[in-house]
Amino acid sequence: MTKYGLRARVLAFTIIPTLIIGILLAGYFSVNRYQQLEEALIKEGVNVIEPLALASELALTGRNREALNRLLSNIHRNNTPLVNAIALFDPEGRLLVTSNYHRNFSTLRLPDGTAIPATTQVETGEHGIILRTPVLTDASRPDALWEESSTQALGYVAMQLTDDSAMLLHYRDTFFAGLIVLLGVCLSALFGVRLIKGVSQPITDMVSAVYKIREGRLDTRVSGEFTGELEMLKNGINAMAKSLSEYHDEMQQNIDQATSDLRETLEQIEIQNIELDMAKKRAQEAARVKTEFLANMSHELRTPLNGVIGFARQLQKTKLTSSQLDYLKTIEKSAQNLLGIINDILDFSKLEAGKLKMEQIPFSLRDTLQEVMTLLAPSAHDKGLELSLRVDAAVHDSLVGDPLRLQQVLNNLVGNAIKFTEQGNVDVRVDARPAGQPERTGLCIHVQDTGIGISDSQRRQLFQAFNQADSSISRRYGGTGLGLVITQKLVHQMAGDIELYSEPGSGSVFSFTLELDKAALPLAEPLPLAELTGKTVLYQEEDSFSRRATSALLREWGMQVLYEPSAEQPVDMALLGFGPHALPSQIEQELRRQLAFDNKTVILLSSTDPTLSDSLLAAGAAHCLSKPAHYHKLAQALTEQRRPADEPVTPIALPPPDSRLPLRVLAVDDNPANLKLISAMLGELVNQVDTGRNGQEALNLATVNQYDIIFMDIQMPVLDGIQATREIRGQGGPNATTPIVAVTAHAIAGERDRLLEQGMDDYLAKPIDETILTRIISHFAHKPETRGQIDWSLALQRAGGKEALAREMLSLLLQSFDEFTPRLSAALAGELGESALYGPLHKLHGGAVYCGVPQLQSLLAALEQALLDKQPIDDLEPELLELEERIEQIREEAKAFL
């Protein structure tokens, strides 16, 4: 908004009102004067035309045109300043006589069809003022009565008036009005200027004094004699200047004092900084010592645990009494609990230090969740609890993230729910929620139980390390108090939130939200939906939570679900769910009832007792599954006519000698118990096992013998495992390319990556899991000896351990090579530009992420970034040639895997 000064405002407020009032008054009087002149002109015209009409009656009656002409001419000459033209018309509108020549007499004539007016008619318009008056005669019969006598129009006279003289008077009056207005404006301006001189100059002096005060010249004062408000303003400015001067002096004293205090403070801060720096170094040293302590403690604790757990499992393979088997399982379970505590402490330490890194690999959400539910189902069944899992149909299944940490979060929450629930349900529900980006998906996972609940006071300390809801000496539930802390930190590290809703005695609901990237390819094994769609299933379930979860899954598959048998609605199969307290006799009775209707029957049990399952299968059940049923097993059970061969639970048995792989392996460990254990495990899987107690013995054995796989401990006397691996690789002997697997009890973050960078081919953590050991041996037994572009172990990891899916993804990558190679050749030939090459290159990079081709993936990422940086194709020719070579290498190496 424009700002105006005082001078402009005063002039505006004095001149503008005067100007507006003057213009309004002048306009009003000018318009009024014009109307008066027009009325006077019309009145004079009426005074001329009406006597003329009376005078024309006799001549018009006698049709004396000459007399009429003479009459009209005399009237026109006598009233020349007033009259412009006079014309006489007969009743039919024909022109009889005119006073002068007129270009267009039609303007004087009445319009067609208009009767002659009885009196004088005035018409104003664009042709000026026109008067029309009738010429009347008394044409009564002699014998007519007085009342019957009437006048008759012989014609009418039309007169056009000129307003030249009136306009001249109007212009004169308007000129004098404008002159008066101008005089008023001048007088107003004169008074305004005089007012400005009396007010503006003192204000200007005061403004100048204020500017000087602002610049720091606090001795400035306003002088002069003023009246009224100006005198008050002058006194105020002078008082303000005086106050500022006094305040400035006081402030300067304070500044001097503060400066002195600041010097002393800075000296103290400098001393404190030195002390803080020394404390920081001590803290860093303490953190380093803590990390080393945790690593050493992990190694030292895991090493004996490896022997305890391993030999307990080995003993279970021998002939034992029921009491001995129970003792061994108790020993193994206790060791596993101790191992879980060690893992919790390590995870908490890594989370506190911010060194826990999340993987970004594709995985199937439903398979990941189902693994946790299958693992924890026996614990829930042992307590007589119902365990259910429901995944909303809108949830995207193929995701990219860290499935192991997601399982850890869910394992902690569901495990706690089972621990603190004595009866009722533990239910897991997964819902879809909106995501911030279209390539991502949102998840909301709820874990609900009917346990003891948590009070407000307990809830406040629930997510604190080493704290539990009940920490008294008489508490019923054990634990370290780290599970929920680790869960919360893991969820936050995955950019999620976790919440708790609970009331004492009413159970608890833990909910956490995540946003994960969508995987480009489906990762779950396909379901036989074609065989299930449209089928009718009779589903009976006691538990409402399990019923809702399974019903939603069946409807998602396109099946029609009936909850009560109906004679009018035939069913294709029956699905019967029983709670943990159902008696075997009740189950068998319901089974016989369904078999009586010749229904294929699948039974869902809240139990893992193989005896009960075998008895029901013998009684005629098609399949028996433990709740919560794995969705793949349930789909197969509903489609298959008989029970799968791998369904029975059989004890672990020593494989026969002819099932061992024809391999020769070397096991190296400085701990006799661990060496004996791994030798026993390997002896069940391969034909020949050699052992060594340190790195030097391993080097001596590897120099003279050819091995298929070497299992190398890391911390050993004489020569450690890493140095021994370097010597074996570097000497070029018979084992220069032999796969070497690191066997270590270290579980700190980055240990696996560090060992792989040191030349190891794989990583095996203690305590040794026999399943993982078997998979490693099987993998290296079928792996080509030469190393190349394809890392099959990484490919399996990207495929979630599913070899069939890994092969399919590698096949899709080879197909994308066929689409990309022509464009690569065109780019090398200079026929394809940077923008045209970027799209296919980006698509190929996206496909390579899901396959075990790290070198190709790294090269594609570098090329993609270079194209984004607008680098020309000519500068990228070496990289493009290398890309072409690696594509051909992958094509050749893929033949060994497909």
Side-chain angles (χ1 to χ4, degrees):
M1 183 177 178
T2 305
K3 302 293 183 180
Y4 299 99
L6 179 63
R7 183 187 302 272
R9 289 175 181 270
V10 170
L11 288 176
F13 291 154
T14 54
I15 294 175
I16 291 177
T18 304
L19 180 63
I20 292 174
I21 293 173
I23 291 175
L24 292 176
L25 289 175
Y28 170 75
F29 288 118
S30 296
V31 171
N32 189 46
R33 177 62 176 164
Y34 177 76
Q35 292 176 349
Q36 291 176 355
L37 291 174
E38 187 179 34
E39 291 175 358
L41 181 64
I42 292 173
K43 187 174 182 180
E44 290 182 12
V46 169
N47 292 334
V48 172
I49 195 172
E50 289 182 349
L52 175 61
L54 293 175
S56 302
E57 176 188 0
L58 183 61
L60 185 59
T61 303
R63 298 292 181 179
N64 190 347
R65 185 182 295 273
E66 183 179 354
L68 291 172
N69 191 14
R70 188 169 49 253
L71 178 62
L72 265 64
S73 298
N74 290 333
I75 294 297
H76 191 174
R77 283 195 302 273
N78 294 335
N79 298 278
T80 298
L82 177 66
V83 179
N84 187 30
I86 304 175
L88 181 63
F89 296 92
D90 62 6
E92 287 75 20
R94 293 188 296 269
L95 180 65
L96 298 177
V97 181
T98 181
S99 64
N100 63 343
Y101 173 74
H102 196 280
R103 293 183 179 181
N104 188 7
F105 282 100
S106 62
T107 59
L108 301 178
R109 184 184 293 112
L110 283 170
D112 295 338
T114 304
I116 298 174
T119 59
T120 303
Q121 180 190 60
V122 180
E123 179 183 336
T124 59
E126 59 179 346
H127 301 293
I129 302 174
I130 298 175
L131 304 180
R132 297 184 184 91
T133 189
V135 180
L136 303 176
T137 180
D138 293 330
S140 58
R141 297 189 308 272
D143 56 347
L145 297 176
W146 179 261
E147 291 81 1
E148 296 178 355
S149 63
S150 62
T151 60
Q152 182 180 359
L154 301 177
Y156 62 91
V157 179
M159 177 185 296
Q160 185 179 29
L161 302 180
T162 178
D163 58 353
D164 293 344
S165 59
M167 290 303 296
L168 183 62
L169 292 175
H170 175 66
Y171 292 152
R172 186 191 64 184
D173 294 343
T174 301
F175 171 75
F176 282 113
L179 192 62
I180 293 172
V181 170
L182 181 61
L183 179 61
V185 170
C186 293
L187 290 175
S188 297
L190 180 63
F191 285 118
V193 171
R194 181 68 185 87
L195 179 62
I196 288 171
K197 288 183 178 179
V199 176
S200 177
Q201 187 61 42
I203 292 179
T204 302
D205 296 341
M206 294 179 188
V207 170
S208 177
V210 170
Y211 274 116
K212 292 178 180 178
I213 294 172
R214 190 183 67 176
E215 292 172 357
R217 296 158 63 180
L218 301 179
D219 57 343
T220 303
R221 298 293 183 270
V222 180
S223 59
E225 296 293 333
F226 304 109
T227 59
E229 288 80 1
L230 292 178
E231 181 68 20
M232 295 171 61
L233 183 60
K234 182 193 75 170
N235 296 334
I237 293 174
N238 291 338
M240 180 189 67
K242 181 179 179 182
S243 299
L244 288 175
S245 178
E246 294 174 353
Y247 175 74
H248 180 268
D249 296 339
E250 182 181 356
M251 183 178 63
Q252 187 62 43
Q253 294 177 0
N254 293 335
I255 290 174
D256 295 339
Q257 181 63 36
T259 303
S260 176
D261 296 340
L262 182 61
R263 289 194 185 97
E264 297 178 1
T265 303
L266 288 176
E267 293 176 357
Q268 295 177 0
I269 291 176
E270 186 175 357
I271 296 172
Q272 292 177 357
N273 285 339
I274 296 174
E275 294 176 350
L276 287 174
D277 186 58
M278 296 173 63
K280 178 182 176 182
K281 291 179 179 179
R282 288 194 299 268
Q284 290 175 344
E285 179 65 19
R288 186 188 63 79
V289 171
K290 174 186 173 183
T291 303
E292 291 182 357
F293 171 76
L294 287 172
N296 293 331
M297 287 303 298
S298 170
H299 182 272
E300 296 302 325
L301 290 173
R302 286 172 180 269
T303 298
L305 276 177
N306 179 47
V308 173
I309 296 174
F311 280 113
R313 290 174 178 172
Q314 291 297 109
L315 278 174
Q316 292 179 35
K317 300 175 185 179
T318 63
K319 294 181 179 180
L320 301 169
T321 64
S322 59
S323 298
Q324 291 172 337
L325 183 61
D326 182 61
Y327 296 157
L328 282 175
K329 288 184 177 179
T330 303
I331 292 172
E332 182 184 1
K333 185 175 181 181
S334 300
Q336 291 288 359
N337 290 337
L338 180 57
L339 183 61
I341 294 173
I342 295 171
N343 290 334
D344 283 347
I345 295 174
L346 289 174
D347 285 341
F348 176 73
S349 175
K350 288 183 281 188
L351 286 167
E352 285 290 312
K355 295 182 179 179
L356 187 65
K357 296 182 179 179
M358 296 292 171
E359 290 187 335
Q360 293 296 318
I361 60 175
F363 68 96
S364 169
L365 176 65
R366 285 173 173 81
D367 288 345
T368 301
L369 299 178
Q370 194 68 54
E371 289 177 8
V372 177
M373 304 302 288
T374 303
L375 178 65
L376 296 177
S379 301
H381 296 161
D382 291 343
K383 296 187 67 174
L385 303 177
E386 280 280 357
L387 185 62
S388 64
L389 169 64
R390 179 178 177 180
V391 181
D392 189 73
V395 174
H396 196 80
D397 184 64
S398 299
L399 304 175
V400 177
D402 194 331
L404 181 62
R405 296 304 175 185
L406 178 59
Q407 285 181 333
Q408 185 176 356
V409 170
L410 195 62
N411 186 74
N412 284 339
L413 295 178
V414 178
N416 280 345
I418 294 173
K419 181 195 300 185
F420 294 103
T421 303
E422 295 300 327
Q423 60 181 0
N425 301 74
V426 174
D427 305 291
V428 179
R429 189 178 77 254
V430 184
D431 296 327
R433 62 189 295 270
Q437 300 175 1
E439 65 273 9
R440 295 173 66 83
T441 185
L443 302 176
C444 185
I445 302 178
H446 310 273
V447 179
Q448 181 178 357
D449 64 64
T450 57
I452 59 176
I454 303 172
S455 64
D456 291 338
S457 58
Q458 293 171 336
R459 193 181 310 169
R460 284 190 290 269
Q461 62 180 3
L462 194 62
F463 289 101
Q464 298 178 10
F466 308 106
N467 276 329
Q468 288 190 318
D470 180 12
S471 58
S472 63
I473 193 171
S474 61
R475 63 178 184 169
R476 297 179 56 191
Y477 309 101
T480 60
L482 290 175
L484 287 179
V485 180
I486 294 172
T487 297
Q488 183 187 47
K489 290 183 178 295
L490 286 176
V491 170
H492 289 169
Q493 193 153 342
M494 290 187 283
D497 293 316
I498 184 169
E499 296 177 346
L500 167 63
Y501 307 93
S502 180
E503 291 182 5
S506 300
S508 306
V509 180
F510 284 87
S511 302
F512 64 95
T513 58
L514 297 175
E515 274 196 20
L516 300 175
D517 292 330
K518 298 178 182 178
L521 299 174
L523 300 175
E525 296 181 5
L527 296 171
L529 297 181
E531 303 178 32
L532 295 174
T533 303
K535 295 294 182 66
T536 302
V537 57
L538 174 64
Y539 179 39
Q540 294 181 347
E541 171 63 61
E542 300 175 359
D543 183 68
S544 59
F545 290 95
S546 298
R547 183 169 57 252
R548 286 196 295 268
T550 307
S551 298
L553 184 62
L554 295 174
R555 291 194 180 95
E556 184 180 344
W557 293 343
M559 302 185 71
Q560 183 179 358
V561 182
L562 299 179
Y563 297 106
E564 294 294 337
S566 174
E568 301 176 355
Q569 179 68 44
V571 297
D572 297 297
M573 60 199 73
L575 182 62
L576 306 180
F578 295 96
H581 304 294
L583 298 176
S585 58
Q586 296 175 344
I587 301 174
E588 292 182 2
Q589 181 181 0
E590 186 61 34
L591 174 61
R592 286 194 297 269
R593 183 181 303 163
Q594 295 301 326
L595 294 176
F597 293 100
D598 197 22
N599 290 334
K600 173 188 173 180
T601 306
V602 177
I603 297 179
L604 304 179
L605 299 174
S606 294
S607 171
T608 54
D609 184 6
T611 305
L612 178 59
S613 298
D614 291 342
S615 64
L616 294 174
L617 291 173
H623 295 273
C624 287
L625 302 177
S626 294
K627 293 194 294 187
H630 194 293
Y631 70 103
H632 268 293
K633 291 183 179 180
L634 180 59
Q636 292 172 1
L638 293 175
T639 55
E640 292 179 358
Q641 297 301 320
R642 59 184 180 85
R643 196 161 138 258
D646 58 347
E647 189 67 13
V649 180
T650 58
I652 299 175
L654 189 67
D658 56 358
S659 67
R660 301 179 186 179
L661 295 174
L663 302 177
R664 184 179 184 183
V665 300
L666 172 63
V668 187
D669 200 310
D670 63 322
N671 186 287
N674 287 339
L675 184 60
K676 185 177 181 180
L677 174 62
I678 193 172
S679 299
M681 289 181 172
L682 292 173
E684 299 174 358
L685 301 173
V686 299
N687 283 345
Q688 184 176 351
V689 180
D690 294 345
T691 60
R693 292 175 295 179
N694 54 59
Q696 186 61 49
E697 290 186 11
L699 180 59
N700 297 336
L701 291 171
T703 305
V704 297
N705 299 316
Q706 170 69 43
Y707 294 105
D708 296 292
I709 308 173
I710 298 175
F711 290 88
M712 183 77 70
D713 189 24
I714 300 302
Q715 286 189 349
M716 294 184 295
V718 184
L719 192 66
D720 62 59
I722 294 176
Q723 188 61 35
T725 300
R726 291 175 180 171
E727 294 290 339
I728 293 173
R729 300 289 191 208
Q731 68 181 1
N735 296 288
T737 60
T738 299
I740 301 179
V741 180
V743 183
T744 178
H746 283 289
I748 61 176
E751 181 70 11
R752 183 180 187 277
D753 296 335
R754 185 180 69 85
L755 293 174
L756 294 179
E757 291 175 358
Q758 297 292 337
M760 299 294 181
D761 293 273
D762 210 334
Y763 171 90
L764 182 62
K766 298 177 183 177
I768 297 174
D769 189 314
E770 193 169 6
T771 304
I772 299 176
L773 178 63
T774 304
R775 188 166 65 238
I776 290 175
I777 293 177
S778 177
H779 165 60
F780 286 114
H782 299 91
K783 183 175 179 181
E785 294 182 0
T786 57
R787 297 184 180 180
Q789 296 293 322
I790 301 177
D791 185 348
W792 192 244
S793 61
L794 180 60
L796 288 174
Q797 182 182 5
R798 292 287 188 264
K802 300 180 179 66
E803 188 170 353
L805 181 59
R807 295 180 190 277
E808 181 182 354
M809 294 166 67
L810 182 58
S811 300
L812 293 175
L813 180 64
L814 295 179
Q815 293 177 12
S816 63
F817 285 167
D818 298 335
E819 299 176 3
F820 178 74
T821 302
R823 292 180 173 84
L824 178 59
S825 301
L828 289 171
E831 301 172 358
L832 200 66
E834 293 83 358
S835 58
L837 181 62
Y838 176 77
L841 185 74
H842 176 72
K843 182 178 179 182
L844 180 62
H845 183 205
V849 171
Y850 300 99
C851 304
V853 285
Q855 298 180 30
L856 177 66
Q857 180 184 347
S858 176
L859 180 58
L860 288 172
L863 283 170
E864 185 177 351
Q865 185 60 45
L867 291 176
L868 286 175
D869 295 339
K870 306 299 182 182
Q871 293 189 23
I873 292 288
D874 295 340
D875 294 348
L876 301 176
E877 185 176 359
E879 288 80 3
L880 294 175
L881 291 173
E882 182 182 357
L883 176 60
E884 187 177 36
E885 180 181 354
R886 290 189 179 181
I887 289 176
E888 293 303 322
Q889 290 178 3
I890 292 174
R891 281 174 171 165
E892 290 298 323
E893 294 177 14
K895 297 176 182 179
F897 299 96
L898 300 177

